[in-house]
Amino acid sequence: MEPAGASPVAALLASPDTFEGPVVCVLSGGNVDPVLLQRVLRHGMSAQGRYLAVRLRLTDRPGALATLLGVLSGVDANVLDVSHVRTDPRLGLSEVEVELHLETKGPAHCAEVGQCLRDAGYTVIP
C-alpha cells in the first residue's frame, strides 16, 4: 500500500490521460518514497524525450565497452546505467550484449545519439 501522500502521483502514473492539465502534485520528502520519486523522474524524462534506452551487441574484447562509452561521450550523452551480459544463449561465443540507459537533451538529441552509434558501426537491437 502506498502512503496517502503519494496517491496523487500514483494516480497520474497509472492514468495520465484521465487528468486535464495543467496538473501539479506536491512532492516532498514526507510524502514520496525514493523508489517512487525515481519512477516519477524517469517518467518525466522519458515523456520529454530526455531518456533513451538502447541495446546493442559488441565483440567481447578488452576495450570494446570503453570504446562505445567514448562514442557516447563524444555526442554528449550521459550514461545512467550499463548492463553487460555475456551469458545469453542467443549470443555467439565472442559477443556481449550491452543495454545502456542514457540521459539526453531531448528528442533531437536522442536521434543524434542513434545516428552517431550507427555512424560508428554499431547496430541497435530493437
PDB file of all heavy atoms in Angstrom, residues 57-95:
ATOM      1  N   ARG A  57      24.991  -5.209 -29.540  1.00  0.00           N
ATOM      2  CA  ARG A  57      25.952  -6.288 -29.347  1.00  0.00           C
ATOM      3  C   ARG A  57      27.333  -5.794 -29.727  1.00  0.00           C
ATOM      4  O   ARG A  57      27.507  -5.087 -30.716  1.00  0.00           O
ATOM      5  CB  ARG A  57      25.581  -7.499 -30.189  1.00  0.00           C
ATOM      6  CG  ARG A  57      24.358  -8.182 -29.632  1.00  0.00           C
ATOM      7  CD  ARG A  57      24.112  -9.519 -30.254  1.00  0.00           C
ATOM      8  NE  ARG A  57      22.904 -10.081 -29.645  1.00  0.00           N
ATOM      9  CZ  ARG A  57      22.091 -10.878 -30.267  1.00  0.00           C
ATOM     10  NH1 ARG A  57      22.330 -11.249 -31.494  1.00  0.00           N
ATOM     11  NH2 ARG A  57      21.022 -11.331 -29.649  1.00  0.00           N
ATOM     12  N   LEU A  58      28.293  -6.211 -28.927  1.00  0.00           N
ATOM     13  CA  LEU A  58      29.687  -5.858 -29.161  1.00  0.00           C
ATOM     14  C   LEU A  58      30.504  -7.135 -29.268  1.00  0.00           C
ATOM     15  O   LEU A  58      30.114  -8.183 -28.758  1.00  0.00           O
ATOM     16  CB  LEU A  58      30.253  -5.061 -27.978  1.00  0.00           C
ATOM     17  CG  LEU A  58      29.516  -3.813 -27.516  1.00  0.00           C
ATOM     18  CD1 LEU A  58      30.187  -3.256 -26.267  1.00  0.00           C
ATOM     19  CD2 LEU A  58      29.488  -2.775 -28.612  1.00  0.00           C
ATOM     20  N   THR A  59      31.661  -7.035 -29.892  1.00  0.00           N
ATOM     21  CA  THR A  59      32.625  -8.114 -29.830  1.00  0.00           C
ATOM     22  C   THR A  59      33.189  -8.118 -28.421  1.00  0.00           C
ATOM     23  O   THR A  59      33.556  -7.065 -27.887  1.00  0.00           O
ATOM     24  CB  THR A  59      33.749  -7.880 -30.863  1.00  0.00           C
ATOM     25  OG1 THR A  59      33.161  -7.793 -32.160  1.00  0.00           O
ATOM     26  CG2 THR A  59      34.743  -9.018 -30.833  1.00  0.00           C
ATOM     27  N   ASP A  60      33.243  -9.279 -27.811  1.00  0.00           N
ATOM     28  CA  ASP A  60      33.707  -9.393 -26.421  1.00  0.00           C
ATOM     29  C   ASP A  60      35.235  -9.382 -26.403  1.00  0.00           C
ATOM     30  O   ASP A  60      35.892 -10.411 -26.485  1.00  0.00           O
ATOM     31  CB  ASP A  60      33.162 -10.673 -25.795  1.00  0.00           C
ATOM     32  CG  ASP A  60      33.367 -10.708 -24.291  1.00  0.00           C
ATOM     33  OD1 ASP A  60      33.769  -9.684 -23.717  1.00  0.00           O
ATOM     34  OD2 ASP A  60      33.116 -11.773 -23.693  1.00  0.00           O
ATOM     35  N   ARG A  61      35.785  -8.172 -26.334  1.00  0.00           N
ATOM     36  CA  ARG A  61      37.231  -7.994 -26.283  1.00  0.00           C
ATOM     37  C   ARG A  61      37.546  -6.813 -25.373  1.00  0.00           C
ATOM     38  O   ARG A  61      36.707  -5.926 -25.190  1.00  0.00           O
ATOM     39  CB  ARG A  61      37.813  -7.773 -27.665  1.00  0.00           C
ATOM     40  CG  ARG A  61      37.296  -6.525 -28.359  1.00  0.00           C
ATOM     41  CD  ARG A  61      38.005  -6.236 -29.671  1.00  0.00           C
ATOM     42  NE  ARG A  61      37.402  -5.110 -30.345  1.00  0.00           N
ATOM     43  CZ  ARG A  61      37.515  -3.838 -29.969  1.00  0.00           C
ATOM     44  NH1 ARG A  61      38.226  -3.516 -28.924  1.00  0.00           N
ATOM     45  NH2 ARG A  61      36.912  -2.874 -30.630  1.00  0.00           N
ATOM     46  N   PRO A  62      38.733  -6.811 -24.790  1.00  0.00           N
ATOM     47  CA  PRO A  62      39.101  -5.696 -23.912  1.00  0.00           C
ATOM     48  C   PRO A  62      38.989  -4.354 -24.638  1.00  0.00           C
ATOM     49  O   PRO A  62      39.463  -4.212 -25.771  1.00  0.00           O
ATOM     50  CB  PRO A  62      40.554  -6.004 -23.540  1.00  0.00           C
ATOM     51  CG  PRO A  62      40.678  -7.482 -23.692  1.00  0.00           C
ATOM     52  CD  PRO A  62      39.784  -7.830 -24.851  1.00  0.00           C
ATOM     53  N   GLY A  63      38.352  -3.409 -24.001  1.00  0.00           N
ATOM     54  CA  GLY A  63      38.234  -2.058 -24.547  1.00  0.00           C
ATOM     55  C   GLY A  63      36.994  -1.799 -25.373  1.00  0.00           C
ATOM     56  O   GLY A  63      36.715  -0.649 -25.719  1.00  0.00           O
ATOM     57  N   ALA A  64      36.218  -2.845 -25.716  1.00  0.00           N
ATOM     58  CA  ALA A  64      35.037  -2.634 -26.566  1.00  0.00           C
ATOM     59  C   ALA A  64      34.002  -1.751 -25.875  1.00  0.00           C
ATOM     60  O   ALA A  64      33.433  -0.845 -26.492  1.00  0.00           O
ATOM     61  CB  ALA A  64      34.420  -3.976 -26.965  1.00  0.00           C
ATOM     62  N   LEU A  65      33.766  -1.998 -24.600  1.00  0.00           N
ATOM     63  CA  LEU A  65      32.807  -1.167 -23.863  1.00  0.00           C
ATOM     64  C   LEU A  65      33.343   0.253 -23.701  1.00  0.00           C
ATOM     65  O   LEU A  65      32.603   1.224 -23.871  1.00  0.00           O
ATOM     66  CB  LEU A  65      32.490  -1.788 -22.497  1.00  0.00           C
ATOM     67  CG  LEU A  65      31.487  -1.036 -21.630  1.00  0.00           C
ATOM     68  CD1 LEU A  65      30.149  -0.869 -22.348  1.00  0.00           C
ATOM     69  CD2 LEU A  65      31.292  -1.763 -20.309  1.00  0.00           C
ATOM     70  N   ALA A  66      34.618   0.387 -23.414  1.00  0.00           N
ATOM     71  CA  ALA A  66      35.227   1.722 -23.274  1.00  0.00           C
ATOM     72  C   ALA A  66      35.121   2.511 -24.580  1.00  0.00           C
ATOM     73  O   ALA A  66      34.851   3.716 -24.561  1.00  0.00           O
ATOM     74  CB  ALA A  66      36.690   1.589 -22.840  1.00  0.00           C
ATOM     75  N   THR A  67      35.308   1.824 -25.700  1.00  0.00           N
ATOM     76  CA  THR A  67      35.181   2.497 -26.997  1.00  0.00           C
ATOM     77  C   THR A  67      33.751   2.994 -27.208  1.00  0.00           C
ATOM     78  O   THR A  67      33.538   4.135 -27.630  1.00  0.00           O
ATOM     79  CB  THR A  67      35.590   1.540 -28.139  1.00  0.00           C
ATOM     80  OG1 THR A  67      36.946   1.136 -27.929  1.00  0.00           O
ATOM     81  CG2 THR A  67      35.457   2.206 -29.496  1.00  0.00           C
ATOM     82  N   LEU A  68      32.783   2.142 -26.897  1.00  0.00           N
ATOM     83  CA  LEU A  68      31.369   2.534 -27.017  1.00  0.00           C
ATOM     84  C   LEU A  68      31.067   3.743 -26.134  1.00  0.00           C
ATOM     85  O   LEU A  68      30.429   4.705 -26.578  1.00  0.00           O
ATOM     86  CB  LEU A  68      30.460   1.366 -26.639  1.00  0.00           C
ATOM     87  CG  LEU A  68      28.971   1.672 -26.487  1.00  0.00           C
ATOM     88  CD1 LEU A  68      28.372   2.183 -27.786  1.00  0.00           C
ATOM     89  CD2 LEU A  68      28.231   0.452 -25.976  1.00  0.00           C
ATOM     90  N   LEU A  69      31.520   3.711 -24.900  1.00  0.00           N
ATOM     91  CA  LEU A  69      31.272   4.831 -23.989  1.00  0.00           C
ATOM     92  C   LEU A  69      31.952   6.103 -24.480  1.00  0.00           C
ATOM     93  O   LEU A  69      31.426   7.204 -24.310  1.00  0.00           O
ATOM     94  CB  LEU A  69      31.715   4.470 -22.572  1.00  0.00           C
ATOM     95  CG  LEU A  69      30.940   3.312 -21.928  1.00  0.00           C
ATOM     96  CD1 LEU A  69      31.522   2.976 -20.562  1.00  0.00           C
ATOM     97  CD2 LEU A  69      29.466   3.604 -21.832  1.00  0.00           C
ATOM     98  N   GLY A  70      33.100   5.971 -25.127  1.00  0.00           N
ATOM     99  CA  GLY A  70      33.771   7.130 -25.718  1.00  0.00           C
ATOM    100  C   GLY A  70      32.956   7.747 -26.837  1.00  0.00           C
ATOM    101  O   GLY A  70      32.880   8.969 -26.968  1.00  0.00           O
ATOM    102  N   VAL A  71      32.314   6.892 -27.648  1.00  0.00           N
ATOM    103  CA  VAL A  71      31.444   7.384 -28.723  1.00  0.00           C
ATOM    104  C   VAL A  71      30.288   8.177 -28.117  1.00  0.00           C
ATOM    105  O   VAL A  71      29.953   9.278 -28.585  1.00  0.00           O
ATOM    106  CB  VAL A  71      30.920   6.211 -29.586  1.00  0.00           C
ATOM    107  CG1 VAL A  71      29.800   6.657 -30.505  1.00  0.00           C
ATOM    108  CG2 VAL A  71      32.066   5.594 -30.383  1.00  0.00           C
ATOM    109  N   LEU A  72      29.694   7.648 -27.056  1.00  0.00           N
ATOM    110  CA  LEU A  72      28.573   8.337 -26.409  1.00  0.00           C
ATOM    111  C   LEU A  72      29.020   9.632 -25.751  1.00  0.00           C
ATOM    112  O   LEU A  72      28.308  10.625 -25.772  1.00  0.00           O
ATOM    113  CB  LEU A  72      27.910   7.413 -25.391  1.00  0.00           C
ATOM    114  CG  LEU A  72      27.197   6.209 -26.011  1.00  0.00           C
ATOM    115  CD1 LEU A  72      26.798   5.207 -24.946  1.00  0.00           C
ATOM    116  CD2 LEU A  72      26.000   6.661 -26.818  1.00  0.00           C
ATOM    117  N   SER A  73      30.203   9.637 -25.194  1.00  0.00           N
ATOM    118  CA  SER A  73      30.747  10.862 -24.601  1.00  0.00           C
ATOM    119  C   SER A  73      30.931  11.935 -25.671  1.00  0.00           C
ATOM    120  O   SER A  73      30.652  13.110 -25.433  1.00  0.00           O
ATOM    121  CB  SER A  73      32.085  10.550 -23.927  1.00  0.00           C
ATOM    122  OG  SER A  73      32.688  11.729 -23.461  1.00  0.00           O
ATOM    123  N   GLY A  74      31.370  11.508 -26.850  1.00  0.00           N
ATOM    124  CA  GLY A  74      31.587  12.449 -27.944  1.00  0.00           C
ATOM    125  C   GLY A  74      30.326  13.130 -28.425  1.00  0.00           C
ATOM    126  O   GLY A  74      30.374  14.220 -28.983  1.00  0.00           O
ATOM    127  N   VAL A  75      29.174  12.499 -28.201  1.00  0.00           N
ATOM    128  CA  VAL A  75      27.899  13.096 -28.610  1.00  0.00           C
ATOM    129  C   VAL A  75      27.165  13.678 -27.402  1.00  0.00           C
ATOM    130  O   VAL A  75      26.025  14.097 -27.485  1.00  0.00           O
ATOM    131  CB  VAL A  75      27.048  12.075 -29.401  1.00  0.00           C
ATOM    132  CG1 VAL A  75      26.460  11.017 -28.515  1.00  0.00           C
ATOM    133  CG2 VAL A  75      25.982  12.744 -30.226  1.00  0.00           C
ATOM    134  N   ASP A  76      27.845  13.714 -26.260  1.00  0.00           N
ATOM    135  CA  ASP A  76      27.341  14.359 -25.039  1.00  0.00           C
ATOM    136  C   ASP A  76      26.118  13.671 -24.443  1.00  0.00           C
ATOM    137  O   ASP A  76      25.236  14.311 -23.897  1.00  0.00           O
ATOM    138  CB  ASP A  76      27.045  15.835 -25.315  1.00  0.00           C
ATOM    139  CG  ASP A  76      27.295  16.719 -24.100  1.00  0.00           C
ATOM    140  OD1 ASP A  76      28.053  16.288 -23.205  1.00  0.00           O
ATOM    141  OD2 ASP A  76      26.734  17.825 -24.041  1.00  0.00           O
ATOM    142  N   ALA A  77      26.087  12.325 -24.542  1.00  0.00           N
ATOM    143  CA  ALA A  77      25.020  11.546 -23.901  1.00  0.00           C
ATOM    144  C   ALA A  77      25.515  11.112 -22.527  1.00  0.00           C
ATOM    145  O   ALA A  77      26.632  10.613 -22.398  1.00  0.00           O
ATOM    146  CB  ALA A  77      24.659  10.333 -24.749  1.00  0.00           C
ATOM    147  N   ASN A  78      24.703  11.304 -21.517  1.00  0.00           N
ATOM    148  CA  ASN A  78      25.081  10.954 -20.147  1.00  0.00           C
ATOM    149  C   ASN A  78      24.610   9.534 -19.838  1.00  0.00           C
ATOM    150  O   ASN A  78      23.425   9.246 -19.882  1.00  0.00           O
ATOM    151  CB  ASN A  78      24.459  11.950 -19.162  1.00  0.00           C
ATOM    152  CG  ASN A  78      24.976  11.746 -17.765  1.00  0.00           C
ATOM    153  OD1 ASN A  78      26.117  11.367 -17.554  1.00  0.00           O
ATOM    154  ND2 ASN A  78      24.123  11.994 -16.777  1.00  0.00           N
ATOM    155  N   VAL A  79      25.544   8.644 -19.506  1.00  0.00           N
ATOM    156  CA  VAL A  79      25.218   7.254 -19.216  1.00  0.00           C
ATOM    157  C   VAL A  79      24.725   7.154 -17.777  1.00  0.00           C
ATOM    158  O   VAL A  79      25.439   7.495 -16.843  1.00  0.00           O
ATOM    159  CB  VAL A  79      26.437   6.337 -19.431  1.00  0.00           C
ATOM    160  CG1 VAL A  79      26.095   4.899 -19.063  1.00  0.00           C
ATOM    161  CG2 VAL A  79      26.931   6.431 -20.872  1.00  0.00           C
ATOM    162  N   LEU A  80      23.488   6.669 -17.613  1.00  0.00           N
ATOM    163  CA  LEU A  80      22.906   6.480 -16.292  1.00  0.00           C
ATOM    164  C   LEU A  80      23.109   5.070 -15.775  1.00  0.00           C
ATOM    165  O   LEU A  80      23.258   4.858 -14.574  1.00  0.00           O
ATOM    166  CB  LEU A  80      21.405   6.789 -16.332  1.00  0.00           C
ATOM    167  CG  LEU A  80      21.006   8.197 -16.761  1.00  0.00           C
ATOM    168  CD1 LEU A  80      19.494   8.289 -16.893  1.00  0.00           C
ATOM    169  CD2 LEU A  80      21.522   9.219 -15.778  1.00  0.00           C
ATOM    170  N   ASP A  81      23.092   4.092 -16.694  1.00  0.00           N
ATOM    171  CA  ASP A  81      23.168   2.701 -16.278  1.00  0.00           C
ATOM    172  C   ASP A  81      23.704   1.869 -17.433  1.00  0.00           C
ATOM    173  O   ASP A  81      23.394   2.142 -18.598  1.00  0.00           O
ATOM    174  CB  ASP A  81      21.767   2.214 -15.883  1.00  0.00           C
ATOM    175  CG  ASP A  81      21.757   0.875 -15.204  1.00  0.00           C
ATOM    176  OD1 ASP A  81      22.688   0.573 -14.444  1.00  0.00           O
ATOM    177  OD2 ASP A  81      20.807   0.111 -15.436  1.00  0.00           O
ATOM    178  N   VAL A  82      24.496   0.850 -17.104  1.00  0.00           N
ATOM    179  CA  VAL A  82      25.040  -0.075 -18.104  1.00  0.00           C
ATOM    180  C   VAL A  82      24.784  -1.505 -17.636  1.00  0.00           C
ATOM    181  O   VAL A  82      25.095  -1.849 -16.500  1.00  0.00           O
ATOM    182  CB  VAL A  82      26.564   0.113 -18.290  1.00  0.00           C
ATOM    183  CG1 VAL A  82      27.117  -0.904 -19.285  1.00  0.00           C
ATOM    184  CG2 VAL A  82      26.906   1.525 -18.720  1.00  0.00           C
ATOM    185  N   SER A  83      24.211  -2.319 -18.510  1.00  0.00           N
ATOM    186  CA  SER A  83      24.046  -3.738 -18.247  1.00  0.00           C
ATOM    187  C   SER A  83      24.875  -4.481 -19.289  1.00  0.00           C
ATOM    188  O   SER A  83      24.706  -4.274 -20.490  1.00  0.00           O
ATOM    189  CB  SER A  83      22.570  -4.120 -18.358  1.00  0.00           C
ATOM    190  OG  SER A  83      22.421  -5.514 -18.248  1.00  0.00           O
ATOM    191  N   HIS A  84      25.752  -5.349 -18.834  1.00  0.00           N
ATOM    192  CA  HIS A  84      26.726  -6.033 -19.683  1.00  0.00           C
ATOM    193  C   HIS A  84      26.467  -7.533 -19.540  1.00  0.00           C
ATOM    194  O   HIS A  84      26.721  -8.111 -18.492  1.00  0.00           O
ATOM    195  CB  HIS A  84      28.111  -5.635 -19.158  1.00  0.00           C
ATOM    196  CG  HIS A  84      29.226  -5.870 -20.089  1.00  0.00           C
ATOM    197  ND1 HIS A  84      30.152  -6.851 -19.887  1.00  0.00           N
ATOM    198  CD2 HIS A  84      29.602  -5.211 -21.210  1.00  0.00           C
ATOM    199  CE1 HIS A  84      31.061  -6.797 -20.835  1.00  0.00           C
ATOM    200  NE2 HIS A  84      30.752  -5.820 -21.653  1.00  0.00           N
ATOM    201  N   VAL A  85      25.920  -8.190 -20.586  1.00  0.00           N
ATOM    202  CA  VAL A  85      25.507  -9.589 -20.493  1.00  0.00           C
ATOM    203  C   VAL A  85      26.339 -10.452 -21.437  1.00  0.00           C
ATOM    204  O   VAL A  85      26.401 -10.173 -22.633  1.00  0.00           O
ATOM    205  CB  VAL A  85      24.002  -9.752 -20.832  1.00  0.00           C
ATOM    206  CG1 VAL A  85      23.591 -11.207 -20.795  1.00  0.00           C
ATOM    207  CG2 VAL A  85      23.158  -8.923 -19.894  1.00  0.00           C
ATOM    208  N   ARG A  86      26.944 -11.498 -20.884  1.00  0.00           N
ATOM    209  CA  ARG A  86      27.740 -12.430 -21.690  1.00  0.00           C
ATOM    210  C   ARG A  86      27.101 -13.817 -21.782  1.00  0.00           C
ATOM    211  O   ARG A  86      27.538 -14.627 -22.579  1.00  0.00           O
ATOM    212  CB  ARG A  86      29.118 -12.615 -21.058  1.00  0.00           C
ATOM    213  CG  ARG A  86      30.035 -11.470 -21.193  1.00  0.00           C
ATOM    214  CD  ARG A  86      31.423 -11.888 -20.698  1.00  0.00           C
ATOM    215  NE  ARG A  86      32.416 -10.915 -21.071  1.00  0.00           N
ATOM    216  CZ  ARG A  86      32.862  -9.969 -20.273  1.00  0.00           C
ATOM    217  NH1 ARG A  86      32.406  -9.862 -19.051  1.00  0.00           N
ATOM    218  NH2 ARG A  86      33.772  -9.114 -20.700  1.00  0.00           N
ATOM    219  N   THR A  87      26.121 -14.112 -20.959  1.00  0.00           N
ATOM    220  CA  THR A  87      25.642 -15.486 -20.811  1.00  0.00           C
ATOM    221  C   THR A  87      24.287 -15.756 -21.454  1.00  0.00           C
ATOM    222  O   THR A  87      23.598 -16.671 -21.058  1.00  0.00           O
ATOM    223  CB  THR A  87      25.574 -15.850 -19.317  1.00  0.00           C
ATOM    224  OG1 THR A  87      24.728 -14.904 -18.650  1.00  0.00           O
ATOM    225  CG2 THR A  87      26.940 -15.852 -18.687  1.00  0.00           C
ATOM    226  N   ASP A  88      23.891 -15.014 -22.433  1.00  0.00           N
ATOM    227  CA  ASP A  88      22.624 -15.253 -23.125  1.00  0.00           C
ATOM    228  C   ASP A  88      22.864 -16.273 -24.245  1.00  0.00           C
ATOM    229  O   ASP A  88      23.790 -16.116 -25.034  1.00  0.00           O
ATOM    230  CB  ASP A  88      22.113 -13.925 -23.705  1.00  0.00           C
ATOM    231  CG  ASP A  88      20.700 -14.026 -24.221  1.00  0.00           C
ATOM    232  OD1 ASP A  88      20.412 -14.969 -24.990  1.00  0.00           O
ATOM    233  OD2 ASP A  88      19.884 -13.166 -23.853  1.00  0.00           O
ATOM    234  N   PRO A  89      22.034 -17.311 -24.338  1.00  0.00           N
ATOM    235  CA  PRO A  89      22.252 -18.327 -25.383  1.00  0.00           C
ATOM    236  C   PRO A  89      22.117 -17.784 -26.805  1.00  0.00           C
ATOM    237  O   PRO A  89      22.580 -18.420 -27.751  1.00  0.00           O
ATOM    238  CB  PRO A  89      21.186 -19.390 -25.094  1.00  0.00           C
ATOM    239  CG  PRO A  89      20.210 -18.763 -24.178  1.00  0.00           C
ATOM    240  CD  PRO A  89      20.904 -17.637 -23.477  1.00  0.00           C
ATOM    241  N   ARG A  90      21.517 -16.618 -26.970  1.00  0.00           N
ATOM    242  CA  ARG A  90      21.400 -16.012 -28.304  1.00  0.00           C
ATOM    243  C   ARG A  90      22.703 -15.373 -28.767  1.00  0.00           C
ATOM    244  O   ARG A  90      22.845 -15.012 -29.925  1.00  0.00           O
ATOM    245  CB  ARG A  90      20.293 -14.957 -28.320  1.00  0.00           C
ATOM    246  CG  ARG A  90      18.908 -15.527 -28.076  1.00  0.00           C
ATOM    247  CD  ARG A  90      17.897 -14.441 -27.902  1.00  0.00           C
ATOM    248  NE  ARG A  90      18.207 -13.741 -26.652  1.00  0.00           N
ATOM    249  CZ  ARG A  90      17.624 -12.630 -26.230  1.00  0.00           C
ATOM    250  NH1 ARG A  90      16.703 -12.068 -26.957  1.00  0.00           N
ATOM    251  NH2 ARG A  90      17.959 -12.082 -25.089  1.00  0.00           N
ATOM    252  N   LEU A  91      23.665 -15.230 -27.851  1.00  0.00           N
ATOM    253  CA  LEU A  91      24.938 -14.594 -28.178  1.00  0.00           C
ATOM    254  C   LEU A  91      25.937 -15.622 -28.690  1.00  0.00           C
ATOM    255  O   LEU A  91      25.977 -16.764 -28.224  1.00  0.00           O
ATOM    256  CB  LEU A  91      25.526 -13.903 -26.942  1.00  0.00           C
ATOM    257  CG  LEU A  91      24.730 -12.744 -26.377  1.00  0.00           C
ATOM    258  CD1 LEU A  91      25.306 -12.307 -25.033  1.00  0.00           C
ATOM    259  CD2 LEU A  91      24.709 -11.583 -27.347  1.00  0.00           C
ATOM    260  N   GLY A  92      26.775 -15.180 -29.611  1.00  0.00           N
ATOM    261  CA  GLY A  92      27.884 -16.012 -30.056  1.00  0.00           C
ATOM    262  C   GLY A  92      28.964 -16.047 -28.985  1.00  0.00           C
ATOM    263  O   GLY A  92      28.928 -15.267 -28.020  1.00  0.00           O
ATOM    264  N   LEU A  93      29.933 -16.913 -29.149  1.00  0.00           N
ATOM    265  CA  LEU A  93      30.995 -17.057 -28.158  1.00  0.00           C
ATOM    266  C   LEU A  93      31.808 -15.785 -27.964  1.00  0.00           C
ATOM    267  O   LEU A  93      32.345 -15.541 -26.891  1.00  0.00           O
ATOM    268  CB  LEU A  93      31.934 -18.202 -28.554  1.00  0.00           C
ATOM    269  CG  LEU A  93      31.330 -19.603 -28.454  1.00  0.00           C
ATOM    270  CD1 LEU A  93      32.304 -20.633 -28.976  1.00  0.00           C
ATOM    271  CD2 LEU A  93      30.940 -19.901 -27.011  1.00  0.00           C
ATOM    272  N   SER A  94      31.902 -14.973 -29.002  1.00  0.00           N
ATOM    273  CA  SER A  94      32.710 -13.762 -28.890  1.00  0.00           C
ATOM    274  C   SER A  94      31.855 -12.494 -28.836  1.00  0.00           C
ATOM    275  O   SER A  94      32.323 -11.411 -29.145  1.00  0.00           O
ATOM    276  CB  SER A  94      33.678 -13.673 -30.070  1.00  0.00           C
ATOM    277  OG  SER A  94      32.950 -13.588 -31.277  1.00  0.00           O
ATOM    278  N   GLU A  95      30.587 -12.637 -28.443  1.00  0.00           N
ATOM    279  CA  GLU A  95      29.688 -11.486 -28.373  1.00  0.00           C
ATOM    280  C   GLU A  95      29.276 -11.184 -26.937  1.00  0.00           C
ATOM    281  O   GLU A  95      29.230 -12.067 -26.081  1.00  0.00           O
ATOM    282  CB  GLU A  95      28.402 -11.739 -29.168  1.00  0.00           C
ATOM    283  CG  GLU A  95      28.560 -11.767 -30.649  1.00  0.00           C
ATOM    284  CD  GLU A  95      27.216 -11.958 -31.331  1.00  0.00           C
ATOM    285  OE1 GLU A  95      26.450 -12.855 -30.927  1.00  0.00           O
ATOM    286  OE2 GLU A  95      26.948 -11.202 -32.281  1.00  0.00           O
TER     287      GLU A  95
END
